[in-house]
Amino acid sequence: TQLLEQSPQFLSIQEGENLTVYCNSSSVFSSLQWYRQEPGEGPVLLVTVVTGGEVKKLKRLTFQFGDARKDSSLHITAAQPGDTGLYLCAGVGRGSTLGRLYFGRGTQLTVWP
Amino acid sequence: DAGITQSPRYKITETGRQVTLMCHQTWSHSYMFWYRQDLGHGLRLIYYSAAADITDKGEVPDGYVVSRSKTENFPLTLESATRSQTSVYFCASIPSRDRGNHANIQYFGAGTRLSVL
């Protein structure tokens, strides 16, 4: 059972377009993280969102955490070829599972010049 | 600052053989994790460890064994490799001080690509 559902699984767009990746769950998490992974490397943390309704911006990337702390979205404005990679969302467990990460399946983004 | 290193980076083995994947971190982080990454499944937790000599099962522990005799090392052993264990394996760690707060940044190694023939 996948706790976190990510969509879309694949995204192929032209440079300059905008895109949104969604991460949904029926579970509440302590916080939610977004990672980016490039071929041959491990995931690298982009951002952590903690508070329901929180919005964080990282240059052209905007991250939102749902009010109920169950879902999140990643919006990229004016995508560039350098944004190409696998984007993973991960929920941080609560209570006895605090510290454990529950990953979505990932969104493979390709941005064409 | 070497960080977290995994070895080997690539491994080919045969069904039934025992194989050990190594993970070494230089930060003295308390918590360490082993994941496998497969197409269509994302990252799934195999085992994790809160400290030396303390380990616990994750989502998919069957067929794997771990040990943690030293804080810096967390080897993962496939006792009798099967084709279904062909995957990319990632080791990660977090400092103990971060486990209880919302930073909880996991630092990942570069991965080991394992093929079981």
Side-chain angles (χ1 to χ4, degrees), chain B residues 48-97:
Chain B
Y48 63 104
S49 168
D53 297 322
I54 301 174
T55 62
D56 211 344
K57 295 179 180 179
E59 297 174 66
V60 288
D62 293 343
Y64 302 95
V65 174
V66 292
S67 61
R68 187 114 181 259
S69 57
K70 292 183 179 181
T71 300
E72 60 267 30
N73 296 322
F74 190 36
L76 175 74
T77 298
L78 287 66
E79 295 185 296
S80 178
T82 65
R83 289 198 180 91
S84 65
Q85 292 177 309
T86 292
S87 185
V88 182
Y89 291 85
F90 288 98
C91 179
S93 70
I94 57 173
S96 59
R97 61 181 170 80

Side-chain angles (χ1 to χ4, degrees), chain A residues 2 12 20 22 38 53 57-58 60 64-65 68 71 78 99-100 103:
Chain A
Q2 198 80 18
S12 182
T20 302
Y22 299 94
E38 301 206 20
K57 291 194 175 184
L58 195 66
R60 292 176 294 100
Q64 282 191 294
F65 200 16
D71 52 82
R100 279 184 61 172
F103 282 90

Side-chain angles (χ1 to χ4, degrees), chain B residues 27-41:
Chain B
W27 297 307
S28 297
H29 285 176
S30 293
Y31 286 85
M32 296 187 75
F33 305 81
W34 273 107
Y35 295 90
R36 58 177 292 173
Q37 187 174 35
D38 306 286
L39 275 175
H41 289 281

